[in-house]
Amino acid sequence: ATFCALAGVDPFDAKAAKAGLPPVDSINLWPLLSGSNTTAPRAEYLVNANALVKDNWKLLKGRQVNSGWAGPRYPNVTSAGNEVGHVQLDCSESCLFDVANDPSEYENVASKHPDIVAQLEARLKELSATIIKKDKTKDPLCDETARTKWGGFLGPWIE
């Protein structure tokens, strides 16, 4: 929506709406980026079906791969034996991070805030139900369109 607003274009996608797809989930960030507004327009962000950020909190569910840290704290992903590809975080019981006070997400505070965990788990479940789950890699039209129309890249193929 930011680029649409800058270009003076409506972000509404008539073809997608006609196909029964939901509207574009986008927010014009230009007022925030330009400094005319200092408040973020979105208080929550669904990262994926296993991660939600809301206000100061980040909830993670399941096994998180590539979960190492970079930076001055040791050991980190630059330390032998702790390479980023080998580091995993077990959030099968949910992990909760206070990203405002712990931006590197070192301390899982889920046990200290079970009420927040319960709230965010419920919201994550609600939002995850809105994720469109179509396996595009098995649709022959997708592969054909990628080869012939988009130069080998995946892109829109429903006309």
Side-chain angles (χ1 to χ4, degrees), residues 14-136:
K15 282 186 178 182
K18 187 176 179 183
L21 295 173
V24 175
D25 179 17
S26 185
I27 293 175
N28 178 9
L29 292 173
W30 184 246
L32 180 67
L33 295 172
S34 66
S36 66
N37 183 359
T38 58
T39 305
R42 192 179 289 231
E44 68 180 6
Y45 176 67
L46 177 65
V47 179
N48 59 39
N50 295 311
L52 174 66
V53 178
K54 184 173 172 77
D55 300 322
N56 292 349
W57 304 105
K58 181 176 182 181
L59 178 80
L60 298 174
K61 302 282 293 172
R63 184 174 58 96
Q64 305 296 313
V65 296
N66 302 331
S67 300
W69 295 275
R73 212 161 153 182
Y74 186 89
N76 59 45
V77 293
T78 62
S79 308
N82 288 306
E83 295 84 4
V84 70
H86 299 130
V87 182
Q88 298 182 16
L89 181 62
D90 180 10
C91 294
S92 55
E93 297 295 321
S94 292
C95 293
L96 181 69
F97 298 96
D98 179 349
V99 293
N101 294 306
D102 179 20
S104 296
E105 301 172 21
Y106 280 104
E107 184 184 1
N108 176 7
V109 295
S111 63
K112 296 176 183 175
H113 302 281
D115 54 330
I116 302 290
V117 170
Q119 281 179 341
L120 293 180
E121 283 178 340
R123 184 67 175 143
L124 178 63
K125 185 177 181 179
E126 180 184 344
L127 291 173
S128 292
T130 68
I131 297 173
I132 297 173
K133 298 174 180 91
K134 175 150 176 51
D135 186 355
K136 299 171 193 80

Side-chain angles (χ1 to χ4, degrees), residues 138-158:
K138 294 183 181 174
D139 188 328
L141 288 175
C142 178
D143 291 339
E144 176 65 21
T145 304
R147 280 194 303 280
T148 60
K149 188 172 183 179
W150 303 116
F153 295 94
L154 293 178
W157 75 96
I158 298 174

